[in-house]
Amino acid sequence: MSAEPNSSGPASSLGKAALIGALGVVYGDIGTSPLYTLRASLTEYPSLGPAQILGVLSLLFWLLMLVVSLKYVTLVLRADNHGEGGTLALMELAARGRSGRKRMVLVVLGLIGAGLFYGDSMITPAISVLSAIEGIDIVSHTMDPWVVPVAVVIIVALFMAQSHGTSVIGKLFGPIMALWFFCIGGLGAWRIVLEPQILQALNPMWAVEFVLHGPWVAFLMLGALVLAMTGAETLYADMGHFGRPAIRRAWFIVVLPGLVLCYFGQGALLLADPTAIRNPFFLLAPSWLLLPLVGLATIATIVASQAVISGAFSVTRQAVQLGLWPRMDIQHTSAKEEGQIYMPRVNQLLCVAVLVLVVGFESSENLAQAYGFAVTGTMLMTSLLAFSVLPRRSTGVRRALWMLLLSVFLVLDILLFSSNTLKIVDGGWLPLVVGVSMFTLMLTWKQGRDKMHTTLAGDQQPLKDFVEAIEQYPPVRVPGTAVFMSMIVDTVPPALLHNLKHNKVLHEQVLFLNVQSADKPYVSFDERYKLERLGRSSWQVVAQWGFKQEPNVPQLLELLAQEHPEVNLDPMLTSYFLSRQTIIVVRRLPFRMRWRRSLFAFMARNASRSTRFYKIPPNRVVEMGMQLEL
């Protein structure tokens, strides 16, 4: 019988390892938010008084408790798709069993959330690294001109290191972030001891009075306070890596205490010296500790940036597997960890985007205006999708309670999102443009694929009837096995028709293979495929991989050969036949209909080759070209 999680022994050691790992990967983003949140929230006040400081700090504290502690850590983590979280996993869970317009609405919500996530992935490395290096100006203003160049060097080095993987440096992430939370919590506690009256902000009445005294000012303030919750989506997306218990323990034991102490310490500093608003985080430290704190903050922001970059790779892979994005080159950087991947094209585009932000905005204060829109938009999509998942798991009073809680969070998310829409002119347009662009690309690819499948299905013959005709009037048979990749089950692959038309021969054994993506993250070997015999020498295989797995056709055929020796799948006697479609856009269509077809054709031309995506040996592949008119 296995040990309980709180007991000593292997289970306890694994629990501690997961907790430390969660600190490094999950909480890097939200853990570095004290660098800029309070300064961005209070910097607009011409004169800071206790009422403003206590009111804003109370509002920040209760937002952390409601949005992060209650909504995400306690409730939303329950909406897992076979242990996996994140917008796309939640979208698949919400859309499961639904059809028609309702399913399409849920898919659109998921695509909007995923599109906005890319905007967040661009801004997080830029604002985090800039805010850390800006601590140099506390030491000497002569260093100010070096902030942007140093940030550029660090970001370029970070993205260049991605191809080597994070398996080695990843082991340091947890201890580094543990040191970070201990350090910022300790500095905050020291300032709280000097100004203990700041603890009055724990009373929610300060937040209520702040809102009632100036509702419009409080509404505008939400646009800045949301910076304290920028990593909430990450902890949900990374649930599959560390598990729900480790993420919850890390939050309540380490992260939340460290963040609250740091924020309240900054508030205590501002009560004693309102001029410290120029950089309340770094001014927490005594002068002798300032340079080490800048160094530690820089390392912590690199950890936070790494987590977001890895998240962008993971979300893109999920999108590819779910048919929401063209096939892309995916490289594994670890032989042990399946989740550690590197996507060269994503890395290059993300690096360029981050550098443009650093050079264009020049300071974390300017970037703060652009940050909240993507975060709150993704939070809003998560709440809307959760409405379709969590209440369905309960009945009666529990279902009504779920609806009530989610309604409260939805109202809160709408307030946070609408507050950030007011910052569109000042920089919020950036994540909006990125989100709309990514949404358009993903929706175009999905609808284009659906349209292509419909067109192909209408032109293709039923597979069983065709096989029966071949068995009765066989063409010339040659030794070996032919594997025909098919996009649509139970239909004749175009590659087979082209092969018969041009070569006028057929292999002794024929295997029709259709590869599908399941609506769950992982599919076990026991559920990997279904084999159906169509004739004396013909079989059809329908294979499934989870949306966090990568198809490996040779590995599948090796498994199939072991379990069904009657199918000759000797690698040296097996050839693969694939169709390569060239999309032709009908010119006579009006522009409003033609531009998305042209965009889909462009994406199709630039997709990675199917041989590489399915891990098929190139020297065993025969590609048959065909043109498809859309």
Side-chain angles (χ1 to χ4, degrees):
M1 186 172 179
S2 61
E4 291 296 321
N6 60 349
S7 65
S8 59
S12 179
S13 300
L14 289 173
K16 291 177 182 178
L19 188 146
I20 295 296
L23 284 179
V25 176
V26 178
Y27 291 110
D29 192 359
I30 199 170
T32 53
S33 58
L35 285 164
Y36 43 78
T37 299
L38 212 57
R39 179 176 61 175
S41 302
L42 293 171
T43 193
E44 297 298 328
Y45 279 100
S47 60
L48 278 177
Q52 289 84 19
I53 296 171
L54 290 170
V56 169
L57 198 58
S58 181
L59 195 58
L60 186 153
F61 172 76
W62 287 105
L63 280 174
L64 274 178
M65 297 304 295
L66 288 172
V67 175
V68 185
S69 296
L70 183 56
K71 176 189 170 183
Y72 276 96
V73 178
T74 305
L75 299 179
V76 172
L77 285 183
R78 296 171 181 263
D80 65 295
N81 189 342
H82 296 271
E84 293 292 328
T87 304
L88 292 179
L90 184 60
M91 177 196 75
E92 279 296 305
L93 193 61
R96 186 177 300 164
R98 302 180 188 271
S99 59
R101 181 172 297 180
K102 184 174 289 187
R103 179 181 177 86
M104 191 61 196
V105 169
L106 294 171
V107 169
V108 167
L109 292 177
L111 295 184
I112 292 173
L116 290 172
F117 174 81
Y118 285 101
D120 186 20
S121 301
M122 290 167 48
I123 299 175
T124 294
I127 192 173
S128 299
V129 174
L130 275 175
S131 59
I133 300 173
E134 285 169 353
I136 296 175
D137 69 4
I138 305 297
V139 180
S140 173
H141 285 291
T142 59
M143 304 293 289
D144 288 355
W146 289 95
V147 170
V148 172
V150 171
V152 167
V153 170
I154 290 174
I155 288 168
V156 169
L158 175 64
F159 279 96
M160 288 180 65
Q162 296 303 310
S163 60
H164 301 290
T166 58
S167 56
V168 177
I169 194 171
K171 297 176 183 178
L172 302 175
F173 283 3
I176 287 172
M177 292 310 296
L179 175 62
W180 169 257
F181 286 115
F182 175 79
C183 181
I184 64 175
L187 289 173
W190 171 54
R191 289 293 181 177
I192 292 171
V193 170
L194 298 179
E195 297 287 340
Q197 62 266 36
I198 195 64
L199 294 176
Q200 296 177 67
L202 292 171
N203 185 348
M205 291 310 299
W206 280 100
V208 173
E209 290 179 12
F210 180 78
V211 172
L212 294 177
H213 184 264
W216 180 249
V217 173
F219 177 71
L220 295 176
M221 188 68 66
L222 291 176
L225 291 177
V226 77
L227 298 176
M229 298 168 277
T230 51
E233 246 343 282
T234 304
L235 67 89
Y236 176 47
D238 284 324
M239 177 169 53
H241 293 290
F242 303 100
R244 187 187 302 134
I247 291 177
R248 284 178 173 167
R249 287 198 300 268
W251 171 255
F252 286 112
I253 295 174
V254 181
V255 182
L256 181 61
L259 291 177
V260 170
L261 287 172
C262 184
Y263 283 125
F264 274 68
Q266 292 183 52
L269 174 64
L270 293 173
L271 281 179
D273 180 16
T275 62
I277 190 61
R278 61 193 176 100
N279 204 321
F281 175 83
F282 284 106
L283 290 173
L284 279 177
S287 57
W288 59 271
L289 191 59
L290 189 56
L291 280 178
L293 183 60
V294 171
L296 179 60
T298 303
I299 296 172
T301 56
I302 291 173
V303 173
S305 302
Q306 176 61 61
V308 174
I309 295 168
S310 300
F313 295 158
S314 179
V315 168
T316 305
R317 180 174 70 170
Q318 288 186 36
V320 170
Q321 299 295 80
L322 291 170
L324 303 172
W325 196 256
R327 295 185 299 268
M328 300 188 77
D329 183 21
I330 302 174
Q331 301 175 12
H332 284 270
T333 58
S334 172
K336 298 179 180 179
E337 299 293 333
E338 184 177 359
Q340 290 191 16
I341 58 174
Y342 169 64
M343 305 184 73
R345 199 175 301 179
V346 176
N347 191 63
Q348 293 164 6
L349 294 174
L350 201 55
C351 179
V352 172
V354 173
L355 290 176
V356 168
L357 290 182
V358 169
V359 175
F361 283 82
E362 295 184 337
S363 73
S364 62
E365 187 175 345
N366 294 334
L367 267 173
Q369 299 297 319
Y371 203 10
F373 185 88
V375 175
T376 53
T378 307
M379 286 181 175
L380 180 58
M381 296 306 108
T382 297
S383 292
L384 290 171
L385 289 170
F387 255 107
S388 299
V389 175
L390 292 172
R392 289 164 61 185
R393 299 181 173 182
S394 306
T395 57
V397 177
R398 288 176 61 88
R399 182 183 177 91
L401 183 59
W402 272 118
M403 297 295 288
L404 177 62
L405 284 171
L406 291 173
S407 298
V408 171
F409 294 133
L410 183 60
V411 170
L412 198 55
D413 286 334
I414 290 173
L415 286 173
L416 291 169
F417 179 72
S418 56
S419 175
N420 277 275
T421 58
L422 301 176
K423 300 193 298 186
I424 287 179
V425 177
D426 297 322
W429 56 268
L430 177 68
L432 176 61
V433 169
V434 173
V436 170
S437 300
M438 296 304 298
F439 169 77
T440 302
L441 290 170
M442 286 189 285
L443 189 62
T444 297
W445 183 255
K446 175 176 174 52
Q447 292 182 337
R449 292 276 295 177
D450 292 343
K451 175 69 174 174
M452 190 169 69
H453 283 193
T454 302
T455 302
L456 288 173
D459 296 338
Q460 292 179 10
Q461 305 173 42
L463 183 59
K464 291 183 179 179
D465 295 345
F466 186 85
V467 169
E468 289 179 4
I470 287 292
E471 297 275 347
Q472 291 180 2
Y473 305 100
V476 176
R477 308 299 286 255
V478 295
T481 301
V483 177
F484 289 93
M485 301 286 288
S486 173
M487 293 179 63
I488 305 170
V489 181
D490 295 326
T491 61
V492 181
L496 174 58
L497 298 176
H498 282 73
N499 182 56
L500 289 174
K501 179 180 178 180
H502 296 288
N503 299 325
K504 297 178 175 58
V505 297
L506 194 63
H507 286 68
E508 287 178 338
Q509 291 192 334
V510 179
L511 191 71
F512 300 98
L513 175 61
N514 176 264
V515 176
Q516 299 178 350
S517 178
D519 59 358
K520 54 186 180 181
Y522 298 100
V523 174
S524 65
F525 280 108
D526 296 338
E527 303 173 319
R528 181 56 45 84
Y529 70 90
K530 291 180 180 179
L531 179 67
E532 178 185 4
R533 188 157 197 158
L534 301 175
R536 181 176 52 83
S537 59
S538 301
W539 294 265
Q540 178 176 241
V541 177
V542 179
Q544 279 195 333
W545 275 269
F547 59 75
K548 293 203 74 174
Q549 296 173 304
E550 291 176 49
N552 189 319
V553 169
Q555 183 186 70
L556 170 75
L557 298 186
E558 183 180 346
L559 174 67
L560 193 150
Q562 293 173 0
E563 298 180 349
H564 300 276
E566 69 273 16
V567 186
N568 180 15
L569 292 170
D570 184 341
M572 299 307 295
L573 298 176
T574 302
S575 299
Y576 299 85
F577 290 81
L578 289 79
S579 298
R580 186 171 181 84
Q581 293 89 10
T582 300
I583 308 300
I584 305 297
V585 180
V586 179
R587 293 293 178 185
R588 61 179 179 271
L589 292 172
F591 177 76
R592 61 184 176 81
M593 298 176 63
R594 194 173 69 244
W595 74 270
R596 288 191 68 200
R597 285 172 167 81
S598 299
L599 178 60
F600 174 73
F602 173 79
M603 296 173 74
R605 286 195 300 271
N606 287 276
S608 294
R609 298 179 70 88
S610 53
T611 52
R612 191 166 187 172
F613 185 74
Y614 292 120
K615 311 292 189 298
I616 300 173
N619 60 341
R620 307 298 305 174
V621 173
V622 178
E623 280 195 334
M624 316 295 287
M626 62 174 291
Q627 292 186 344
L628 184 65
E629 196 174 77
L630 289 182

